Amino acid sequence: MSVLLERLGVELPVVQAGMGGGLARHELAAAVSEAGGLGTIGLLAPGDVREELRRARERTDRPVAMNLLLPLARRRHFEAAGKADVLVTFWGTPRRRTDGVWIHQCGSVDESRAAHAAGADAVIAQGVEAGGHVRGTTPALELLEQVRAALPRGYPVLVAGGIADATDVRRALDAGADGAVLGTRFLMTEESGAHPAYKQRLIEAHETLVTELFGLGWPSAPHRVLPNEATDRWLRKDRRGPAAVRTANSVLSPLLSRVPMRFQERAAAIQTPRQPLLSPMAATGGLGGLIESGPLYAGESVARIGDIRPAGAVARELADFSATS
Ligand SMILES: Cc1cc2nc3c(=O)[nH]c(=O)nc-3n(C[C@H](O)[C@H](O)[C@H](O)COP(=O)(O)O)c2cc1C
């Protein structure tokens, strides 16, 4: 168990990954933190993340983290994140943007070295098994070993990707991780913001695929998703997505970075699987129409998880090693 997590007052070596667009709001983050893990609020519009943090604080006195995706985060996001106990960043050149505790998620040894050099308090080694945006190409435990060897002894390294149960958490800790970071398992909880139809797809899922299809506004960023009508239609020839769609995503990216998130959300809501404009918005709350046309982010572990349960119970069970061999 990490000295860093202990210092923060986190009892369990379990971190719920920040999942943007409304998948990880205060209900999920607070439930995980209250159970003794570290809950994380995902990226939303700046005013919304501030409000989510305020509401999480109403539910728990324990530490709560905030996650920011560097290509999409603006100055006001960093101001809001400064009020969280921990800032977790992902994707892009690691740079300290808070006076508080800062953790950077990495997909390679070079990136972990850069984060350490930039003053990160810890890194997360993300394996290729991970759901959502996938930074690297190395399996999680292999990357963990490489990152451990590259960074000074005692420096906190957490691991993410493919972790579904207490046996996996224990294996990660035995391999030298300071904590386990889980997205898919916490997506499959009562408190996650995933639309009920998305949760049903997760329960039934056996396979995932990595593509760049849903890259509008955030191109050249591979992501692991469940198959749906959009992937069936557009990935017949090339798993990354049609070249024309990827080019359009790159060209439109600078323009879209100036469009407020709320407008992007509205535009995403009217997309259909037949349209080549496929935004990264996931199916949440009122966005159930995105089941066939949007990204159903999920990690490889989805094939081993068959239920939707309360997040607090999941967090506690992940750290209960009594039944593990
Ligand atoms: C639905 C979903 C959404 C995600 N969104 C984000 C995000 O907004 N920011 C981020 O840093 N990571 C995000 N991730 C990746 C996680 O940080 C983490 O690396 C991953 O979930 C670990 O793998 P697992 O899904 O196998 O547990 C997301 C993952 C999932 C499954």
Side-chain angles (χ1 to χ4, degrees):
M1 169 80 176
S2 162
V3 177
L4 178 75
L5 293 182
E6 251 171 43
R7 207 176 72 215
L8 283 164
V10 177
E11 286 167 17
L12 310 175
V14 172
V15 177
Q16 166 247 314
M19 296 178 278
L23 293 171
R25 291 181 180 267
H26 69 276
E27 297 91 339
L28 178 58
V32 173
S33 289
E34 189 55 21
L38 180 62
T40 309
I41 291 166
L43 184 75
L44 290 160
D48 293 343
V49 280
R50 195 182 306 260
E51 177 61 10
E52 290 299 318
L53 182 62
R54 190 189 66 72
R55 296 175 76 176
R57 298 275 192 228
E58 282 175 0
R59 294 186 179 210
T60 183
D61 294 330
R62 301 195 178 202
V64 177
M66 194 176 284
N67 173 261
L68 294 180
L69 295 161
L70 293 175
L72 309 179
R74 307 281 167 263
R75 185 178 46 79
R76 288 179 56 219
H77 281 113
F78 290 104
E79 284 166 14
K83 304 220 168 357
D85 300 282
V86 180
L87 168 62
V88 182
T89 54
F90 188 37
W91 216 280
T93 309
R95 183 153 76 90
R96 180 169 270 287
R97 301 290 299 262
T98 174
D99 296 332
V101 175
W102 168 44
I103 303 177
H104 188 74
Q105 178 161 246
C106 309
S108 68
V109 171
D110 282 351
E111 196 178 7
S112 72
R113 280 206 189 97
H116 174 255
D121 297 291
V123 292
I124 301 168
Q126 187 205 43
V128 68
E129 307 92 332
H133 287 80
V134 186
R135 187 73 173 149
T137 53
T138 312
L141 293 187
E142 215 175 299
L143 184 62
L144 170 69
E145 194 182 334
Q146 294 170 8
V147 169
R148 267 253 159 274
L151 298 181
R153 185 183 285 269
Y155 182 77
V157 182
L158 295 90
V159 69
I163 300 170
D165 57 25
T167 303
D168 296 338
V169 174
R170 187 170 168 178
R171 198 171 293 140
L173 299 181
D174 288 348
D178 286 272
V181 182
L182 301 92
T184 304
R185 176 61 272 195
F186 284 113
L187 182 66
M188 297 176 73
T189 59
E190 291 172 6
E191 292 87 346
S192 96
H195 191 277
Y198 182 4
K199 291 185 185 177
Q200 190 55 37
R201 289 290 175 93
L202 290 162
I203 290 174
E204 292 161 2
H206 301 293
E207 54 164 350
T208 59
L209 53 95
V210 175
T211 180
E212 292 174 30
L213 185 63
F214 302 98
L216 186 67
W218 186 9
S220 309
H223 34 276
R224 188 178 290 284
V225 295
L226 302 181
N228 63 1
E229 271 181 39
T231 62
D232 289 350
R233 179 180 173 89
W234 294 103
L235 305 184
R236 270 180 222 141
K237 292 208 182 105
D238 187 338
R239 279 241 151 165
R240 290 175 303 164
V245 173
R246 284 184 281 124
T247 307
N249 287 343
S250 295
V251 172
L252 289 170
S253 170
L255 191 75
L256 277 160
S257 66
R258 293 203 201 102
V259 178
M261 275 183 183
R262 279 183 220 291
F263 291 110
Q264 295 197 34
E265 214 173 277
R266 268 180 231 154
I270 54 167
Q271 76 185 3
T272 75
R274 303 180 74 82
Q275 282 171 340
L277 237 62
L278 299 157
S279 110
M281 290 297 169
T284 57
L287 295 176
L290 291 176
I291 291 295
E292 296 300 350
S293 60
L296 300 175
Y297 299 119
E300 285 181 1
S301 69
V302 74
R304 296 190 286 129
I305 308 171
D307 53 14
I308 303 294
R309 315 238 331 283
V314 167
R316 281 188 291 271
E317 280 170 27
L318 285 166
D320 178 0
F321 305 129
S322 54
T324 61
S325 48

